Amino acid sequence: MKSFLSITLVVVLGFLSAILIGFRTDLPFSPLAYDEEQEGLQDRLIIKFSHVVAENTPKGLAVERFSQLVKEKSNGRIEVQVFPNGILYSDITEYDALRNGDIQMIAPAFSNLADKIPEWSVLDLPFAFRDETDVEEAFNGEIGRLLFESLEPFDMKGMAFWNNGFKQMTSNRPIRRPEDFKGQRFRIIQSKVLEAQFQALGAKGYGAPFTDVYQKLASGQVDGQENTISNIYTRRLYQVQRYMTLSNHGYLGYAVIMNKQFWEDLPPETQTIIQEALKETTAYSNQQALTINEQQWNQLQKMPLEIHKLTAEETEVWQAAMKSVYDAFAPVIGPAIMKELEELHAKPKRRRIARKEGKRFPEVIPNLWNRESKALSLSQSELLLASSKTVGSRILLRNCG
């Protein structure tokens, strides 16, 4: 009986408390009043930008710069959230994430695109560019336009090209001639062109995400890799590699890409803000790439790494060994882009002098295409050219000469 009375008393007291307190609108439990700042947060546009490299690399700094510029130009209305170091997606999984709308922007290396869209293979061809001037002309000209056009059927919108630099070889064996590659395994960005490149040299290309490079070198799963000075330095690959060859055999850059539907749904004024921020970021990024590679090249020379620069003669031997790559992929890339590349190589070389604080400083890696002497005489070059059956062969032979 006492227990029943106790329960009844608790219920009654609880009901009275609800009447006197629970239904009051001036207590913290009631809905919040209108808040202008909170309303502003709801209107903010979020753009998720995922990439796989460190923040202190050319691409990492460029993404941060872009994020900052968009915030400033939009007065905080547009927020670019940056996810570096592959913390959100790897360079293999980011494509599906972009197309599914889980993220809105990526900046993959050209090789990653080449594995999915054949036209992009042109940027993976060995010795495709003689110098940075060739690179800029390709990106800002018809080659760049055709490549961005090829993204459209895959629900991707090409926004900008960002530079990093020319690639060099590292290994635990000295590499000077093609036969030095024989039997080795090299980590590559998954790309059929890069696989063919190493196959032509007697080695095997092993596709793996960039975030796994150090571990695979340290464990011995691969013997070497190819990369830019900045990536070799920031990833501390000199700790697990004994030799580096300055070869300038390939170029590493990035395509800034946005989800196509996301872009088309943006208001025109928002698109303008993003385009302006990207234009400024691209100019900043390309200059930073030169500066960073130069600074980190100076640091890299202090590390326990034996460095060899290919001579003009050695470079020509490498080019001749890789000729089959052009023969195989020119038809896949297509005549329109290969014709543009051939015309680019037909132009006179114009060496650009980099400047820093008004003073001339040496190029990060000497331009191996600017040679005082030629191994092939004009008659020899013409003879070889006559026997070539593809545009790709003509391009490589011109570069050899």
Side-chain angles (χ1 to χ4, degrees), residues 284-327:
Y284 161 85
S285 173
N286 293 346
Q287 182 55 51
Q288 278 292 101
L290 290 171
T291 302
I292 290 172
N293 275 292
E294 188 256 343
Q295 292 173 344
Q296 294 177 345
W297 162 240
N298 292 333
Q299 293 298 317
L300 202 56
Q301 293 178 85
K302 302 175 184 177
M303 302 304 168
L305 191 66
E306 186 175 315
I307 301 172
H308 170 71
K309 183 183 78 171
L310 288 184
T311 65
E313 291 75 17
E314 288 169 339
T315 301
E316 289 166 354
V317 173
W318 281 41
Q319 290 173 331
M322 298 179 190
K323 174 183 172 294
S324 60
V325 181
Y326 277 71
D327 295 339

Side-chain angles (χ1 to χ4, degrees), residues 169 173 177-186 194-205 223 318 321-322 324-325:
M169 295 285 189
R173 301 186 210 167
R177 302 182 66 82
E179 51 264 35
D180 297 331
F181 286 88
K182 189 174 182 180
Q184 294 196 67
R185 297 182 64 177
F186 282 77
L194 298 182
E195 288 179 6
Q197 169 188 283
F198 281 100
Q199 185 177 7
L201 295 169
K204 182 177 181 180
D223 304 294
W318 281 41
M322 298 179 190
S324 60
V325 181

